[in-house]
Amino acid sequence: MTAVAGPSRMIGAPIKRREDPRLIQGLSHYVDDIKLVDTLHCTFLRSDYAHAEIKSIDTAAAKDLPGVVTVITGKDIEGKVGDVPCGADLPGLKVPDHPALSIGRVRFVGEPIAAVVATDSYIARDALDLIEVDYEELPTVVDPEKAIEAGSPLIYEEFGDNIGFTMPLEAGDADAAFAEADHVVSGRFVNQRLIPNAMEPRGVLAQYLPGDGSLTVWSSTQVPHGLKTNLGLIVDIPEHLVRVIAPEVGGAFGSKLNVYPEEIVVSYLAIQLCKPVKWIEKRTENFTTTIHGRDQINYVEIAVKNDGTITALRAKTIADIGASYQLLTPLIPTLTNLMIVGGYKIQNVKVELIGALTNKMATDAYRGAGRPEATYIIERIVSMAAKQLGMDPKDIRFKNFPQPEEFPLEIATGITFDSGNYQASLNKALEIVNYDEQRAQQAELRQQGKYMGIGLCTYVEICAFGPSAGVPGGGWESATVRVERTGKVTVLSGVSPHGQGQETSFAQIIGDEFGVDIDDIIIVHGDTGRQPQGIGTFGSRATAVGGTAMVVAAGQVKEKMAKIAAHLMEANPDDLVFENGQIFVGGSPDQAVEFATVAGEAHTAANLPPDTDPGLEATHFFEPSNFTFPFGAHVAVVEVDIDTGEIDIQRYVAVDDIGNIINPLLVNGQVHGGIAQGLGQALYEGAVYDENGQLLTGTFMDYAIPKATHLPRFESDHTVTPSPVNPLGVKGVGEAGTIASTPCMVNAVVDALSPLGITQIDMPMTPNRVWQAIQDAKEGGNG
Amino acid sequence: MANQVIHTAINGQEHTHEVEPRMLLVHYIRDVVGLTGTHVGCETSLCGACTIMVDGQAVKSCTMLAVQADGAEIMTIEGLAQNGELHPIQEGFWECHGLQCGFCTPGMIIAAHQLLQRNPNPSEDEIRHGLDGNLCRCTGYQHIVDAVQYAAEKMQGSRERKEV
Ligand code: FES
Ligand code: FES
């Protein structure tokens, strides 16, 4: 018999994706690619006004248009379907009604008012023009700081003000620390509103079968399971008759972690009409009515000793939450509170957080969700402090990092960092970028009147959401692992990837576990009909939580297979090794049985060991004991042209510690994409509403998501500090790049312009803004 | 306006259909012909997800009416692989992890196809400029650039082999 090769460790290998062949050939199926016979098409009439009373809606002419099947308004479904749900539960949270189609009043531009169903999507769009709405305009408020002032127009009169919630956080004695401080460093930061803009707009297709009473919904979502449970309750179909399928999903970044009005209305219409109904979002709708992200104003100050030790942080945050709550709206800024001290040992904290209602689309989870804001606050203010104290920005960071042996480390805001070595990642980044040389070159260039800047960001973030106590609806994940009769392996997962590549990385993990070829494994996800309970993909949780659920389930199946194999070979199950499609006795590979043979025996069931049931299947629900806390150091080197305000990114180095790495190729992809979105915020993107609440940046023409020419080549590397909270030792990588790169870039540009006395430039740092800051500085300097 | 009959050849196959004069070419391809690999990301000629080849030119198919394609030879993403063999650009995207969610990918691959026809040996800068009409929200573009470089090298190699 041939010698058995060494273990084929697929974990850690840059295996190319198994998802790709269908995607690169145009053979995959996103929602709009699924065609059911007799499908009707739905479109939504949306508010043109940011705040108005609806006096009347006349749908008669639209209904008369040939091809139109029905037109419904909020009144037609009032009491028949439930509200758009909000899963957040904060003390004192004021929760407004949120009907799927507005009734009586509209509060932001794009709010859905009526739905048209027609035989063809062009006719459905024609019909929208025939609906007459009589509005009476109301005063509008879009500035969150004005919204919380007394006398502001009220979004909800019954609340008496526009404060949706407040969330104070206090630890230690910040006021005392400030009284003793050698230096106080303060700033006002604006974390502008962003629009996620996944390239695939949202879409819903719903089919109701009156015979068995079942509802099947295909939705471009990150959370098919949450959607299933919620939809069942909202449209009144028992949960076990609802199936939600997230087919191919074209990106999400948090924007599809929700239950949206369109999912509710389309499901309701399919039930009423007993025909499939489809709605595909237009890009303009995606801009106005898919959740937005960020939108905070932060007043921040830190107390610092002469040696650079930061003793306290005080902050006041006004978070613009928009006009209504989506699934997690109020929770997102509370994550900013939790992570506001970053990776520094700041013991005294006093934070005030106000959620301000305005006449805008709701904010919610967008890649990073609350942590980019926290990181921006702390990384900017720490760099400002270094400047004020005349320290190198790296030194103030080293000064305030915890030591590696201090982990697990409970921080002032009450959470416990699982593991870390912040010094190692910063040292590695400094080495890669050649920091000392860069500083020397900067000094030289300054002599020549050139403005080179070096920006640092040392971040820590919170991932792997998470213990169920911290996630509305549960933070566990489920997986079923089944070895079929022929030895093929089927994994059913509750996570719902939409570009991350877990069909590959999960198969790598299972391949190592069972010692079988990756092509003998499939990973099924995004279908509540196949894996009925799950949570989904968000908050960089899929591998840490969903992967662990899968590994535990696989371990149970493996144990049973070992028992059967041992029975067949008359060996001890504890001695068996799974490798290369075989199960053999460790040390004597001649004593072997095929993996597939054991799978067959388990199902033929004629020769099973005593007390062994037929079949090879296990399901596990994994509840993590803690979040994970990835960290790292990014360094950007830029040169600013002070005549034009243009920024040239010369180097971008990212050292991310995300724990163990399953597939470095996919990790690189996540890092690059994350950095791109973070640089988008720093340099290009920003949602702008005018004072009447009209979105001025509602197309790709006015809202600049980065193009290929806008971005540099990224240099990505890692340190590896495994997480102790899951057996894979992984932390999560989906959001790190977005969290780190924004302050890193602002720090670099401000560093470049510091000889002019510039200490802050608000984002996005467009050439125009940078140029203006330079002019202001020059004038200020002259005057 | 009355419907019009149009004839097209898509990926080498002839089609004849009666269409509304206002129907966009991308909707004709997706909903009438049934080739759904071409995607709609914006309908306003800004994202490039709908890029296809029409008579040898890369075109954003949301900016053309179906009736304007009467008599045209069209290639969509489904027509790029030949006899079950991936095109070098598709191979490059796979090898270099040039895609994540895949929604921009068909348009991106077709745009790269045109780019390499015009410039078989592009620099990184030329690749980035050549793909400027195509948005990707997932990848940060670096792996896409790598994929196009991979394809350029591979196509160059096979050209050289043919010349030998
Ligand atoms: S759909 Fe044609 S360019 Fe976006
Ligand atoms: S791969 Fe998702 S948009 Fe490009």
Side-chain angles (χ1 to χ4, degrees):
Chain A
M1 130 145 226
T2 51
V4 177
S8 72
R9 290 280 294 175
M10 278 185 274
I11 292 181
I15 291 177
K16 60 184 185 178
R17 295 204 317 173
R18 310 164 77 215
E19 292 84 342
D20 289 1
R22 64 175 188 262
L23 295 165
I24 55 181
Q25 297 185 84
L27 301 175
S28 60
H29 289 93
Y30 301 84
V31 174
D32 197 20
D33 304 334
I34 296 165
K35 318 264 179 200
L36 302 181
V37 177
D38 261 353
T39 296
L40 300 172
H41 298 267
C42 182
T43 52
F44 288 85
L45 181 77
R46 298 178 182 280
S47 174
D48 295 327
Y49 294 98
H51 203 184
E53 206 69 51
I54 301 175
K55 291 286 178 200
S56 64
I57 308 176
D58 183 354
T59 60
K63 281 179 175 155
D64 284 347
L65 187 72
V68 169
V69 176
T70 188
V71 181
I72 60 166
T73 67
K75 288 248 164 65
D76 296 317
I77 58 172
E78 193 174 9
K80 296 182 189 152
V81 303
D83 269 10
V84 178
C86 172
D89 185 18
L90 301 176
L93 178 70
K94 298 174 196 156
V95 185
D97 293 342
H98 190 177
L101 294 174
S102 58
I103 298 168
R105 188 175 291 200
V106 285
R107 294 180 173 85
F108 66 96
V109 168
E111 187 168 343
I113 295 173
V116 172
V117 181
T119 51
D120 159 305
S121 64
Y122 282 64
I123 296 173
R125 277 206 244 183
D126 290 341
L128 292 183
D129 296 338
L130 300 174
I131 301 175
E132 298 273 352
V133 184
D134 186 10
Y135 296 99
E136 187 178 309
E137 270 189 86
L138 295 167
T140 297
V141 61
V142 296
D143 178 337
E145 291 189 287
K146 292 206 176 113
I148 56 176
E149 282 171 9
S152 163
L154 294 178
I155 315 294
Y156 298 95
E157 264 124 38
E158 61 273 30
F159 291 172
D161 60 28
N162 292 321
I163 296 176
F165 63 93
T166 56
M167 190 79 174
L169 179 78
E170 216 172 330
D173 190 345
D175 293 342
F178 270 90
E180 287 167 14
D182 296 325
H183 307 267
V184 172
V185 183
S186 58
R188 176 186 187 266
F189 303 126
V190 179
N191 215 292
Q192 82 271 31
R193 183 174 275 250
L194 300 179
I195 302 182
N197 269 311
M199 288 316 299
E200 184 211 16
R202 291 187 289 124
V204 192
L205 169 63
Q207 181 184 39
Y208 177 70
L209 299 178
D212 61 16
S214 69
L215 174 71
T216 302
V217 178
W218 290 261
S219 182
S220 185
T221 181
Q222 300 169 244
V223 283
H225 297 89
L227 185 57
K228 172 198 70 164
T229 307
N230 274 295
L231 267 184
L233 295 169
I234 293 166
V235 301
D236 199 21
I237 302 270
E239 181 182 1
H240 53 204
L241 288 172
V242 184
R243 177 180 182 189
V244 173
I245 299 171
E248 208 76 72
V249 173
F253 317 110
S255 72
K256 297 171 182 174
L257 158 53
N258 235 304
V259 179
Y260 280 105
E262 296 85 358
E263 289 168 322
I264 296 170
V265 173
V266 169
S267 298
Y268 169 83
L269 287 165
I271 296 166
Q272 293 303 308
L273 300 168
C274 291
K275 281 204 177 163
V277 179
K278 184 189 262 187
W279 166 75
I280 300 298
E281 187 182 52
K282 300 288 163 214
R283 181 59 57 185
T284 48
E285 294 177 294
N286 187 269
F287 270 103
T288 51
T289 65
T290 291
I291 62 98
H292 293 173
R294 316 280 189 267
D295 212 350
Q296 292 187 7
I297 298 167
N298 315 100
Y299 295 86
V300 187
E301 53 184 353
I302 53 174
V304 192
K305 288 203 224 165
N306 281 329
D307 69 353
T309 306
I310 305 165
T311 54
L313 178 147
R314 286 194 296 224
K316 176 178 173 180
T317 292
I318 298 119
D320 185 336
I321 51 179
S324 53
Y325 304 154
Q326 286 289 329
L327 196 61
L328 301 174
T329 298
L331 272 189
I332 304 306
T334 68
L335 292 171
T336 307
N337 274 6
L338 276 188
M339 297 303 291
I340 200 159
V341 299
Y344 310 110
K345 288 184 73 175
I346 305 174
Q347 308 291 5
N348 304 295
V349 178
K350 191 174 174 183
V351 188
E352 198 186 334
L353 165 63
I354 301 168
L357 290 154
T358 58
N359 291 114
K360 297 188 224 170
M361 179 59 198
T363 50
D364 202 318
Y366 169 54
R367 202 170 193 170
R371 293 101 84 205
E373 296 90 322
T375 308
Y376 189 71
I377 291 168
I378 190 71
E379 288 303 298
R380 284 292 300 124
I381 201 84
V382 164
S383 288
M384 287 165 86
K387 186 80 202 159
Q388 204 165 311
L389 271 68
M391 282 178 91
D392 188 290
K394 75 176 181 344
D395 295 328
I396 195 167
R397 289 174 163 84
F398 281 121
K399 181 89 204 165
N400 289 283
F401 282 159
Q403 297 304 312
E405 55 278 6
E406 290 180 67
F407 293 88
L409 174 74
E410 188 178 342
I411 64 160
T413 58
I415 46 181
T416 301
F417 289 174
D418 57 342
S419 62
N421 185 343
Y422 303 166
Q423 290 81 357
S425 54
L426 178 52
N427 276 322
K428 190 162 191 180
L430 295 173
E431 196 184 302
I432 293 171
V433 81
N434 251 324
Y435 188 73
D436 293 339
E437 254 173 57
Q438 298 285 2
R439 283 285 174 212
Q441 204 195 343
Q442 179 183 42
E444 217 169 280
L445 287 171
R446 279 185 181 165
Q447 295 296 326
Q448 302 168 21
K450 290 197 175 148
Y451 292 83
M452 170 184 168
I454 304 161
L456 300 187
C457 171
T458 47
Y459 71 95
V460 54
E461 66 130 337
I462 178 169
C463 274
F465 285 74
S468 293
V471 185
W476 45 266
E477 196 47 87
S478 81
T480 297
V481 174
R482 183 164 64 234
V483 177
E484 312 284 359
R485 198 182 268 261
T486 53
K488 301 287 178 193
V489 182
T490 304
V491 175
L492 308 166
S493 175
V495 304
S496 200
H498 39 278
Q500 292 86 349
Q502 269 101 6
E503 289 173 38
T504 305
S505 58
F506 276 17
Q508 288 175 252
I509 298 170
I510 289 295
D512 274 355
E513 190 71 17
F514 284 135
V516 300
D517 196 283
I518 197 167
D519 291 331
D520 288 329
I521 304 161
I522 62 164
I523 310 295
V524 178
H525 58 78
D527 183 349
T528 70
R530 299 200 63 186
Q531 183 67 358
Q533 297 297 338
I535 302 295
T537 292
F538 56 89
S540 305
R541 69 188 303 278
T543 305
V545 189
T548 300
M550 175 182 78
V551 165
V552 174
Q556 291 168 6
V557 173
K558 191 174 171 181
E559 200 176 305
K560 186 168 179 184
M561 288 186 85
K563 197 170 156 193
I564 298 170
H567 176 72
L568 294 174
M569 293 189 280
E570 291 177 12
N572 182 344
D574 296 338
D575 298 340
L576 298 183
V577 178
F578 287 60
E579 240 168 62
N580 295 334
Q582 294 194 316
I583 303 169
F584 59 90
V585 179
S588 56
D590 286 352
Q591 235 188 310
V593 58
E594 298 285 323
F595 182 86
T597 305
V598 176
E601 289 291 338
H603 290 86
T604 313
N607 182 20
L608 292 176
D611 302 326
T612 306
D613 295 326
L616 289 173
E617 178 171 319
T619 296
H620 185 71
F621 283 59
F622 173 68
E623 169 70 30
S625 59
N626 190 4
F627 303 99
T628 61
F629 296 86
F631 59 90
H634 288 205
V635 187
V637 180
V638 302
E639 193 173 314
V640 182
D641 181 335
I642 67 156
D643 295 325
T644 62
E646 266 165 307
I647 298 161
D648 177 32
I649 308 170
Q650 298 178 332
R651 297 279 301 276
Y652 194 96
V653 172
V655 173
D656 298 292
D657 194 321
I658 55 166
N660 289 334
I661 289 174
I662 309 293
N663 184 329
L665 198 59
L666 306 194
V667 163
N668 265 342
Q670 288 296 314
V671 170
H672 293 174
I675 296 172
Q677 283 181 3
L679 295 185
Q681 172 167 25
L683 299 170
Y684 308 112
E685 300 177 33
V688 180
Y689 282 89
D690 72 10
E691 72 272 19
N692 299 317
Q694 294 293 334
L695 183 65
L696 300 180
T697 52
T699 72
F700 285 134
M701 201 74 118
D702 319 292
Y703 185 95
I705 77 170
K707 297 180 172 188
T709 44
H710 288 145
L711 295 172
R713 192 158 266 276
F714 311 119
E715 302 166 55
S716 166
D717 210 326
H718 305 277
T719 55
V720 177
T721 309
S723 172
V725 307
N726 62 68
L728 292 165
V730 297
K731 291 199 168 193
V733 66
E735 296 157 294
T738 315
I739 288 168
S741 60
T742 312
C744 184
M745 185 49 56
V746 177
N747 282 344
V749 173
V750 171
D751 183 55
L753 298 175
S754 61
L756 300 172
I758 289 174
T759 55
Q760 173 67 20
I761 300 176
D762 281 337
M763 303 182 290
M765 298 184 295
T766 56
N768 182 37
R769 252 201 197 157
V770 173
W771 184 85
Q772 195 57 56
I774 294 165
Q775 303 317 307
D776 293 349
K778 282 181 176 167
E779 275 164 32
N782 292 340
Chain B
M1 253 217 284
N3 288 354
Q4 266 171 256
V5 174
I6 61 167
H7 305 275
T8 57
I10 305 180
N11 304 331
Q13 208 170 329
E14 313 260 321
H15 295 273
T16 301
H17 289 103
E18 197 184 302
V19 298
E20 264 193 274
R22 66 174 176 169
M23 177 177 269
L24 297 179
L25 179 57
V26 67
H27 291 146
Y28 171 72
I29 290 170
R30 289 180 47 81
D31 300 334
V32 180
V33 179
L35 292 169
T36 57
T38 303
H39 298 150
V40 181
C42 72
E43 258 186 28
T44 50
S45 82
L46 294 166
C47 78
C50 64
T51 308
I52 60 171
M53 300 296 287
V54 178
D55 291 331
Q57 301 278 341
V59 163
K60 290 176 175 172
S61 59
C62 71
T63 60
M64 247 180 109
L65 297 170
V67 291
Q68 292 175 302
D70 186 21
E73 279 203 33
I74 290 171
M75 187 187 71
T76 68
I77 187 70
E78 290 92 339
L80 202 53
Q82 292 295 323
N83 309 318
E85 229 182 273
L86 294 179
H87 186 279
I89 302 174
Q90 290 172 313
E91 209 182 294
F93 272 73
W94 193 11
E95 290 291 334
C96 303
H97 188 28
L99 60 148
Q100 291 177 29
C101 79
F103 197 77
C104 73
T105 311
M108 201 64 89
I109 287 176
I110 299 288
H113 180 66
Q114 173 98 88
L115 168 71
L116 291 178
Q117 276 182 347
R118 291 182 176 162
N119 182 357
N121 194 12
S123 67
E124 166 147 8
D125 230 32
E126 288 167 337
I127 294 172
R128 288 183 184 267
H129 275 101
L131 299 178
D132 221 27
N134 292 69
L135 298 177
C136 174
R137 194 58 156 163
C138 297
T139 63
Y141 302 102
Q142 185 160 323
H143 285 164
I144 293 178
V145 171
D146 296 346
V148 177
Q149 282 171 335
Y150 173 102
E153 268 166 44
K154 176 132 193 194
M155 288 160 78
Q156 202 99 333
S158 66
R159 254 190 303 277
E160 274 155 26
R161 270 196 302 282
K162 259 181 226 153
E163 279 159 22
V164 170

